[in-house]
Amino acid sequence: MRRKLIAGNWKMNKNFSETRDLLLKIKNGLNTDILNKIDVLVCPSFVNLTIANDTLIDSSINLGGQNIYQEDEGAYTGEISAKMLKSVGCKYVILGHSERRQYFSESNETVNLKVKKALENSLTPIVCVGETLIQREKEMHFKTIEEQVSKCLKGFSAEEILKIVIAYEPVWAIGTGKTASPEQANEMHIFIRNVIGNLFTKDIAGKIIILYGGSMNDKNSKELLHMSDIDGGLIGGASLKSESFINIINSAL
Ligand code: PGA
C-alpha cells in the first residue's frame, strides 16, 4: 500500500514572517490524526528554511528544499548543497522542476547528478518530469516522459530507486489553471510505472510514489488523488493559502 504524499512547492514566494505565519496556520489547521495517515511536506525558499524548521519543530509536517547543486561544497557562488539542506531539517528536495529546466537550463543529466547527491545525503529526491503542450500536441508526450524518467534515474540500484519520489507535472498545466484530467494524469502515471518496471522490476514499480502536479487545487484534488496510480500531489499556487492546502490534504484520505 503506497502512502499518500501532499507536497507544497512555494517557489519564490513568502518572506520570513509570511513563512512563519502560513506554517502556523497549516500546522494549527490540520487534524493531527491526518498526519498519521498522510505525509505532508512544505518546500519554502532556502532563506526561510530555518524559520520553517523552528516553526514545525513540534509537528510531523516535513520540510524540503526546491533545488540543490550537485557538488558537496566549494567555489559555487550562489549555490546550496544537499548537506546544507540536511543541516536545517530538510528531508526532501524537489529536483528537475520544469521551471529549473526552462529558466536555468537543467538537463536530465544534471538532474541525475543531483539525485545522486540527494541520496548520498539521505534526502528524498522528488524528481519532476513533464511534457510541454507542443510535445503533447505532437503526440510525443510518452516518448518525452520515458526519456526524462530513464535519464534522470540512470545508474541507480533497486534499493536507491525505492527512496525516490517521481512527480508528473505536465508543463502546460503548471500555473495555468489547466489541469490534466484525472484520466489523462492517471494514464501517464501508469505509463511511468511501466517504464520503471522495465528499468527495474514490477515490484519496485508498484512501490514507487508518483505525485501529480499542475494546477491542483481544492476543487479538483479529490478526484485526482483517488485515481489508481496517483499517490499524491505537488502543489504550487494552492499551497500558498492555508485553507486550500489543508483542504487538499484532507481530500487525500
Ligand atoms: P501549480 O504548480 O500548482 O501552481 O500549477 C505546481 C508546481 O509547479 O509544482
Side-chain angles (χ1 to χ4, degrees), residues 46-147:
F46 289 138
V47 291
N48 294 318
L49 287 171
T50 303
I51 184 63
N53 192 35
D54 291 348
T55 311
L56 296 175
I57 202 81
D58 53 352
S59 158
S60 45
I61 297 173
N62 296 293
L63 194 59
Q66 299 174 17
N67 182 31
I68 50 168
Y69 191 58
Q70 61 267 27
E71 298 292 340
D72 288 324
E73 59 184 4
Y76 303 103
T77 302
E79 293 298 317
I80 304 273
S81 71
K83 270 195 182 59
M84 289 173 187
L85 289 193
K86 266 310 258 196
S87 73
V88 290
C90 288
K91 283 202 180 146
Y92 292 80
V93 61
I94 299 171
L95 293 176
H97 189 280
S98 65
E99 287 148 16
R100 302 277 335 155
R101 294 175 187 260
Q102 187 181 348
Y103 305 128
F104 304 96
S105 311
E106 280 194 15
S107 63
N108 292 321
E109 289 72 20
T110 318
V111 177
N112 180 261
L113 295 173
K114 292 185 178 197
V115 173
K116 188 163 183 276
K117 214 26 98 181
L119 290 172
E120 276 173 25
N121 288 282
S122 310
L123 283 172
T124 300
I126 300 181
V127 180
C128 302
V129 295
E131 81 283 1
T132 62
L133 186 58
I134 294 173
Q135 286 164 334
R136 184 163 275 265
E137 283 171 353
K138 288 190 175 160
E139 307 220 332
M140 283 166 60
H141 46 301
F142 291 118
K143 193 172 166 284
T144 303
I145 300 297
E146 179 165 20
E147 186 175 326

Side-chain angles (χ1 to χ4, degrees), residues 9 11 97 99 169 173-176 213-216 234-238:
N9 174 10
K11 310 191 181 185
H97 189 280
E99 287 148 16
E169 299 204 305
I174 296 178
T176 57
S215 299
M216 189 186 275
L234 181 55
I235 299 126

Side-chain angles (χ1 to χ4, degrees), residues 198-216:
N198 292 335
L199 290 171
F200 301 94
T201 65
K202 267 207 156 45
D203 180 55
I204 289 172
K207 287 184 179 149
I208 202 149
I209 303 288
I210 308 178
L211 312 180
Y212 169 77
S215 299
M216 189 186 275

